[in-house]
Amino acid sequence: MREAPIGVFDSGVGGLSVLAEIHRLLPNESLLYVADCGNIPYGEKSPAFIRQRCAVMADFLQAQGAKAMVVACNTATVAGVADLRRDYPSWPIVGMEPAVKPAAAATRSGVVGVLATTGTLQSAKFAALLDRFATDVRVVTQPCPGLVELIEAGDLQSPTLRQLLGSYLQPLLDAGCDTIILGCTHYPFLKPILAQMLPADISLIDTGAAVARQTQRLLAERQLLADGPARPAQFWTSASPEHLRNILPLLWHNGGVVQSFNQ
Ligand code: DGL
């Protein structure tokens, strides 16, 4: 069981930013990754639809023998992680959520920005996060429709992307944010262009590394950490495997096999 893989899923390629953190921290672990690219973007879908997709992903990753599952998607976590934990009570499941707590601790201006999907920002789970950790700071939220689709196409820097991103950053800058939460797993891939577009004193916070540490903790508690060596990563996509094969090297530098996922 220790050498069994960790299963990771996202609506698309965004969760690869989390997969990279898991691989960095836990290089002995074999990794499975499902990208539900055929249903992108989750951010504009109903919570009921997303919950249904979470169940499909969980069943698939269980069938593949995953010893733990990481929901590498903020939108899927707010919609579906509670049901997943109820339905798979003995399976270690790690979810993600926007880094409100560390951002509230880090801000000097007292104004924190959140870039995330519409679904995440509208969720009760996000509202609860703000109630719990953001009582002493002002939080400016910005949904970013369209951004995920560009990243899915492998666009991390075109003039179109720059313009759209600029329109989402401006309200945060106008409000005086000095700390910006990347509340969607696709957005860490924009860090290079964000570094060009934002003043140098603005900090960006995402939760990929924290999720990797939480995965490590849960596995260690259950004596499930692998000794290695890891097997090559396996990828599935519910859209075109050829497209994923083409853009994978841009977003993940450790190789692996891409297959089709038809569920
Ligand atoms: N990567 C996902 C997240 O972290 C959502 C992208 C989408 O809208 O599908 O929220």
Side-chain angles (χ1 to χ4, degrees):
M1 191 62 180
R2 292 156 68 104
E3 302 309 315
I6 299 172
V8 180
F9 84 88
D10 179 35
S11 59
V13 296
L16 294 171
S17 67
V18 182
L19 197 73
E21 297 291 351
I22 296 171
H23 179 66
R24 206 187 327 272
L25 185 68
L26 302 169
N28 290 335
E29 299 293 339
S30 300
L31 301 170
L32 311 179
Y33 185 93
V34 190
D36 197 10
C37 300
N39 291 296
I40 204 90
Y42 279 7
E44 306 296 322
K45 301 274 188 329
S46 72
F49 176 84
I50 297 168
R51 277 196 283 278
Q52 198 188 334
R53 293 309 294 165
C54 285
V56 170
M57 302 293 152
D59 286 347
F60 177 74
L61 288 169
Q62 279 248 315
Q64 296 298 319
K67 65 185 172 187
M69 179 169 74
V70 178
V71 183
C73 176
N74 293 265
T75 315
T77 299
V78 296
V81 81
D83 283 16
L84 289 171
R85 292 195 173 119
R86 181 198 63 207
D87 296 343
Y88 300 92
S90 57
W91 203 23
I93 297 177
V94 183
M96 8 229 326
E97 57 191 19
V100 174
K101 187 181 176 189
T107 179
R108 298 164 312 277
S109 70
V111 190
V112 169
V114 188
L115 300 174
T117 67
T118 308
T120 296
L121 296 175
Q122 284 178 351
S123 67
K125 214 165 153 51
F126 181 68
L129 258 187
L130 294 186
D131 282 348
R132 188 148 170 232
F133 297 118
T135 42
D136 296 334
V137 298
R138 183 169 162 229
V139 176
V140 183
T141 59
Q142 177 62 58
C144 305
L147 219 45
V148 159
E149 289 88 331
L150 291 173
I151 298 166
E152 286 289 318
D155 178 359
L156 305 180
Q157 56 180 13
S158 73
T160 311
L161 179 118
R162 195 180 270 268
Q163 196 182 18
L164 187 64
L165 189 55
S167 72
Y168 294 146
L169 293 174
Q170 200 54 52
L172 306 188
L173 297 174
D174 292 346
C177 296
D178 66 348
T179 307
I180 296 181
I181 298 171
L182 303 180
C184 168
T185 54
H186 283 73
Y187 305 162
F189 291 119
L190 301 179
K191 279 182 185 170
I193 194 170
L194 283 164
Q196 289 170 24
M197 294 175 70
L198 288 169
D201 58 348
I202 296 205
S203 320
L204 299 173
I205 303 197
D206 71 88
T207 35
V211 162
R213 288 194 298 274
Q214 175 65 2
T215 307
Q216 182 184 43
R217 261 193 300 273
L218 288 187
L219 292 177
E221 260 167 38
R222 293 163 171 80
Q223 267 120 53
L224 282 177
L225 285 168
D227 296 323
R231 296 178 292 281
Q234 284 184 271
F235 299 90
W236 287 265
T237 172
S238 57
S240 150
E242 202 182 338
H243 175 68
L244 185 56
R245 263 176 227 128
N246 286 339
I247 64 162
L248 196 59
L250 182 68
L251 308 170
W252 167 258
H253 309 297
N254 305 289
V257 184
V258 179
Q259 298 160 69
S260 178
F261 175 75
N262 293 316
Q263 296 179 35

